[in-house]
Amino acid sequence: MRRSRLAAAVAVAGLVLGGCGGVNPGAAATVDGVTIPLSEVDAMARAFCAADIASAKLQDQPPTPRDTAEYRNRVLGTLMNAELASQAVDDLDIDVPASAAESDLTQFEELFAMMSDDETSALTDYIGVFSRLDASTRAIGSEQGGQEAAADPEAAIAAGQEYLAERAADADIELDPRFGTPDDGQIVGGSGSLSVPADDEDAASASTAGGTDADAPASQVCS
């Protein structure tokens, strides 16, 4: 798999949430009372970092240094949207066949071979979450978006995303303030303590100070 495939998966799942507040320790966010653990976000963020490094190596290119905060924002956006979509599917009584959310993991084999077992497991979990989100969004749009959406997959996705954005505005969303606040489909701002170590070995001793790609501590930069 090349990086463009992974990046495309992330780009589709931009955060669509409205208001937010504080959350309990150990939670990155809650969506209508359902907790999204910070540990899950961190594990997937580290896996993304490892996948980007592996992808660059496969292309004989140096990896682009990125603050791990960027990966956490991407992962959290996907997980929150997936929870919103899951609740919407249940409330609308929409059938989303398991086959519609299946992923072909063979395209990731080269990356997986260069990643640890924990990283591979976390990235596989993320891919599964994204695939279910994609299938659910499409199914919601096909039902809620009228005849055009029912006949056109792209129109169905657009209609589904619009429905989830409207639903998010009425949802009870609580977000760890270190992640910032949602704005125009993205998480922005924050307290500056969002970055996490790029690997588990550094997790216990790394500083919690945040930063940009240029000024973040080395343990908090994916490179």
Side-chain angles (χ1 to χ4, degrees), residues 10 45-46 65 100 144 150 192 205 223:
V10 176
R46 291 189 182 101
Q144 299 292 311
S205 59
S223 61

Side-chain angles (χ1 to χ4, degrees), residues 15 17-23 27-30 38 69-70 72-74 76-77 80 173-195:
L15 194 63
L17 306 178
C20 63
V23 348
T30 62
L38 186 58
E70 178 181 338
R72 290 176 98 188
N73 279 345
R74 293 179 180 183
L76 182 58
M80 295 176 81
I173 305 295
E174 295 183 347
L175 186 68
D176 185 323
R178 291 177 298 173
F179 284 90
T181 57
D183 180 61
D184 194 24
Q186 302 294 325
I187 304 174
V188 298
S191 67
S193 59
L194 182 59
S195 297

